[in-house]
Amino acid sequence: MKVLITGASGVLGKAVYNAFSSAGHAQVTGLSFSQSLANLTQVDLQDPKAVGQFFETWKGSQGDWVIHCAAERRPDVAEKLNAEVPGHLAQLSKTYGFTLVYISTDYVFDGTSPPYFPDSKTNPLQLYGRTKLAGEQAVLGVEGAHAIVLRVPVLYGPAPKPSDSAINILLDVVRDQSGKTYQMDHFATRYPTNVLDIGKFLVRLAEGSVHGQVPPIIHFSAPEPFTKYEICLIYAALLGVEHKHIIADTTDPSTKGATNRPRDCKLDTRATEVLLDGIEGGVLGCVGFEEWWSEELKR
């Protein structure tokens, strides 16, 4: 089996690349464009000709997998990378017969009526969610493609620098003891999920060690709910530093003219739990948030 991971230099892509490499059951190839790394192949996913030429060489076929982890939040390029590229990859899946996994987001929902099931009505509130939903529709709209949409919430885990993750970056806020104060969101509930757990799940999915047929849309999420303010309190306790400079902000961001963000996009994962029947270590086997950071911050 061959496995290809796009965005393999990112926080999620790197974790998925390492998970498949460590499993030792597949020939793993990682793609990157923004970062040139020795173990990765540089391909511009926004260049259809270059992508087509790469796949003609890679020759993915039935039994092979492509995990599309590359994504973009910048408005000027988000629509193309998040919406157009997945559709092109789905067309290639149809041509060559490989299985495509498109990584999507809980932000395809508006956060007003959680929990959300795979077939719940979508209603993204901001650009990122809209472009990721467009990617879902493009992938699932290619008849004959072997495609799976995997929705995940906000991610954390091993990263070269805290700013690589919306959760890791809160460490910088907590560590800043200069006297500067921070208004920290205490309005929206998030379910931070470790990229290492997602990597392990995708290996099981590709290896077929799941129970039953995999549906076209699946959810993967850790169960613990936190606001960003609550995450900062956990970091402060683990680091043994003051947190008086961090002030809880309970107001709806949309009332202040900020980017509209959903209140609570809890993903229902019961269908995924059925696929992983018998898994140990809690819901989906996800590591505890405080437990993981307690060990990580000792390194």
Side-chain angles (χ1 to χ4, degrees):
M1 175 176 66
K2 294 194 296 185
V3 178
L4 176 70
I5 294 103
T6 72
S9 61
V11 175
L12 175 60
K14 185 176 181 180
V16 174
Y17 179 90
N18 289 340
F20 276 99
S21 298
S22 298
H25 305 308
Q27 178 185 332
V28 187
T29 301
L31 300 186
S32 176
F33 182 66
S34 60
Q35 297 186 50
S36 179
L37 300 175
N39 63 324
L40 303 180
T41 302
Q42 195 167 24
V43 176
D44 183 1
L45 294 176
Q46 298 183 76
D47 182 345
K49 183 178 179 180
V51 173
Q53 289 174 342
F54 171 81
F55 273 91
E56 180 63 28
T57 302
W58 186 67
K59 291 289 187 186
S61 60
Q62 189 172 7
D64 295 329
W65 289 67
V66 173
I67 317 293
H68 183 44
C69 297
E72 182 57 70
R73 289 183 177 273
R74 292 174 296 169
D76 55 334
V77 291
E79 187 166 355
K80 187 164 187 178
L81 188 59
N82 294 349
E84 296 180 25
V85 170
H88 186 207
L89 293 178
Q91 290 286 352
L92 292 168
S93 166
K94 178 179 180 179
T95 299
Y96 295 107
F98 61 77
T99 298
L100 171 67
V101 178
Y102 170 62
I103 307 296
S104 190
T105 174
D106 58 347
Y107 269 26
V108 299
F109 300 111
D110 59 20
T112 60
S113 55
Y116 291 95
F117 298 86
D119 61 353
S120 294
K121 182 181 178 181
T122 54
N123 183 35
L125 299 180
Q126 29 85 305
L127 177 67
Y128 179 70
R130 289 195 293 271
T131 60
K132 294 298 284 185
L133 177 59
E136 289 188 11
Q137 294 166 338
V139 165
L140 298 178
V142 178
E143 187 176 352
H146 304 271
I148 299 167
V149 170
L150 174 62
R151 293 182 183 139
V152 298
V154 66
L155 304 176
Y156 73 96
K161 53 186 184 299
S163 60
D164 290 337
S165 158
I167 298 299
N168 292 36
I169 198 173
L170 298 178
L171 281 168
D172 289 343
V173 173
V174 174
R175 284 170 168 152
D176 184 358
Q177 302 289 313
S178 66
K180 179 181 177 180
T181 59
Y182 293 86
Q183 294 282 334
M184 191 56 60
D185 179 61
H186 196 36
F187 171 82
T189 299
R190 308 300 300 275
Y191 298 83
T193 299
N194 198 301
V195 293
L196 299 178
D197 292 327
I198 296 174
K200 293 174 186 176
F201 168 68
L202 286 168
V203 169
R204 289 194 61 180
L205 201 66
E207 291 181 344
S209 57
V210 295
H211 301 263
Q213 186 174 357
V214 180
I217 301 176
I218 50 180
H219 288 172
F220 191 100
S221 173
E224 298 176 285
F226 302 103
T227 64
K228 284 189 173 182
Y229 175 72
E230 290 168 339
I231 290 171
C232 286
L233 298 189
I234 290 173
Y235 285 158
L238 292 175
L239 292 169
V241 299
E242 289 286 346
H243 56 80
K244 294 179 181 178
H245 62 298
I246 304 172
I247 302 167
D249 184 356
T250 59
T251 58
D252 183 342
S254 64
T255 64
K256 301 181 292 182
T259 300
N260 199 4
R261 299 183 185 279
R263 180 77 181 261
D264 185 346
C265 287
K266 179 178 176 60
L267 297 173
D268 189 284
T269 61
R270 280 176 287 183
T272 313
E273 291 162 32
V274 171
L275 287 176
L276 298 178
D277 184 38
I279 195 168
E280 298 178 355
V283 178
L284 297 184
C286 292
V287 66
F289 184 82
E290 187 170 351
E291 173 191 354
W292 189 84
W293 278 110
S294 178
E295 293 302 313
E296 178 70 9
L297 292 173
K298 293 175 183 176
R299 297 173 185 168

